[in-house]
């Protein structure tokens, strides 16, 4: 349906997501699953990383084998919920640098307001993976990517857990060059800007603030 959207339909991802959606799942369990699922989605978002052949010696013989070609990476968390995706992905890609974009949604207009911005140097040379569990209206994500492009980023991917069609459309309009990888494309947004059926407020679910 959307050429810039990949839905990771792997059974492990879908199983974990179902437990995360359940309102009876504890904060602790939610965080644990988020960490696990972030790694499975990161697997998809990094599928096309460049590799190069290097010479190694196995215990048996010398061989040419692929290694990541050492392209610089930046993981950018959209605060605060993005932080729940960071640790798992950093375990997989320990050399990635990390940045933060702080935006909150004005509850009336649902428009993003910036309160923090700190990213690694040399953004133009990096593969930039922006992480935020919920792609809802897409306004914050689009605004965050505007800021990252102003900072020099050109090669950007967006990783989320759930996407609403409204957010996917907004991102396609604002940033057609940014592929989106998600675990599910849900039905719609409700009048408060929450994804339906969704999983509620991702930040509250992971930090127990409600
Ligand atoms: N942010 C959330 O945490 N949940 C939603 O459903 C939408 C935006």
């Amino acid at each position: 349906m959307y050429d810039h959207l990949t839905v990771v339909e792997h059974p492990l991802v879908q199983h974990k997501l179902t437990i995360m959606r359940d309102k009876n799942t504890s904060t602790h369990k939610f965080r644990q699953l988020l960490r696990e699922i972030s790694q499975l989605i990161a697997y998809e978002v990094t599928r096309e990383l460049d590799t190069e052949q290097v010479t190694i010696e196995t215990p048996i013989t010398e061989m040419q084998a692929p290694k990541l070609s050492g392209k610089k990476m930046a993981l950018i968390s959209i605060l605060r919920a993005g932080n729940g995706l960071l640790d798992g992905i950093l375990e997989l890609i320990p050399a990635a640098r990390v940045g933060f974009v702080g935006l909150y949604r004005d509850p009336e207009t649902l428009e993003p307001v910036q309160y923090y911005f700190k990213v690694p140097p040399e953004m133009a040379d990096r593969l930039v993976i922006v992480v935020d569990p919920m792609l809802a209206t897409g306004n914050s994500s689009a605004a965050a990517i505007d800021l990252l492009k102003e900072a020099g980023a050109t090669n950007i991917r967006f990783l989320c857990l759930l996407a609403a069609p409204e957010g996917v459309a907004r991102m396609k309009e604002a940033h057609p060059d940014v592929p989106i990888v998600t675990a599910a494309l849900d039905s719609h947004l409700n009048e408060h800007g929450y994804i339906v059926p969704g999983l509620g407020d991702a930040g509250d679910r992971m930090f127990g603030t409600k």
Side-chain angles (χ1 to χ4, degrees):
M1 182 162 49
Y2 301 101
D3 54 8
H4 66 315
L5 178 76
T6 302
V7 178
V8 183
E9 282 166 352
H10 194 287
L12 281 177
V13 170
Q14 295 306 316
H15 174 83
K16 289 176 195 297
L17 179 58
T18 299
I19 302 171
M20 295 179 77
R21 288 184 190 272
D22 187 334
K23 67 176 185 182
N24 295 314
T25 296
S26 70
T27 301
H28 171 69
K29 186 76 186 166
F30 187 92
R31 267 203 308 271
Q32 182 190 337
L33 288 163
L34 186 60
R35 182 191 187 94
E36 292 169 6
I37 210 168
S38 72
Q39 296 190 324
L40 296 167
I41 305 174
Y43 175 83
E44 186 61 43
V45 93
T46 52
R47 180 178 284 284
E48 284 150 34
L49 286 184
D50 292 333
T51 57
E52 62 191 11
Q53 294 294 321
V54 297
T55 307
I56 57 163
E57 273 185 53
T58 76
I60 311 296
T61 186
E62 188 178 288
M63 74 175 289
Q64 295 279 307
K67 264 192 152 182
L68 289 176
S69 62
K71 193 170 174 59
K72 294 178 181 173
M73 249 190 252
L75 271 183
I76 307 294
S77 165
I78 302 186
L79 297 174
R80 70 180 160 149
N83 284 11
L85 296 163
L86 279 182
D87 285 350
I89 302 177
L90 278 171
E91 248 173 48
L92 289 183
I93 317 171
R97 300 294 182 90
V98 181
F100 299 91
V101 182
L103 297 165
Y104 66 85
R105 278 200 302 179
D106 184 299
E108 298 297 319
T109 63
L110 303 184
E111 288 298 319
V113 183
Q114 180 194 334
Y115 63 89
Y116 191 73
F117 186 79
K118 182 86 178 173
V119 297
E122 299 159 359
M123 287 293 280
D125 302 333
R126 296 181 188 278
L127 168 64
V128 176
I129 301 175
V130 180
V131 299
D132 189 357
M134 310 297 272
L135 177 58
T137 62
N139 289 335
S140 323
S141 312
I145 291 170
D146 281 339
L147 295 170
L148 295 169
K149 286 184 174 175
E150 278 169 32
T154 55
N155 186 6
I156 306 174
R157 294 168 201 191
F158 188 84
L159 185 160
C160 59
L161 191 54
L162 289 185
E166 294 89 335
V168 175
R170 172 83 182 96
M171 282 282 281
K172 186 173 173 69
E173 168 195 74
H175 299 292
D177 56 315
V178 175
I180 301 166
V181 180
T182 186
L185 178 63
D186 272 11
S187 164
H188 62 279
L189 295 179
N190 69 14
E191 65 277 21
H192 305 293
Y194 280 92
I195 297 177
V196 181
L199 50 73
D201 185 296
D204 285 343
R205 296 288 310 274
M206 75 180 74
F207 298 121
T209 38
K210 210 169 197 174

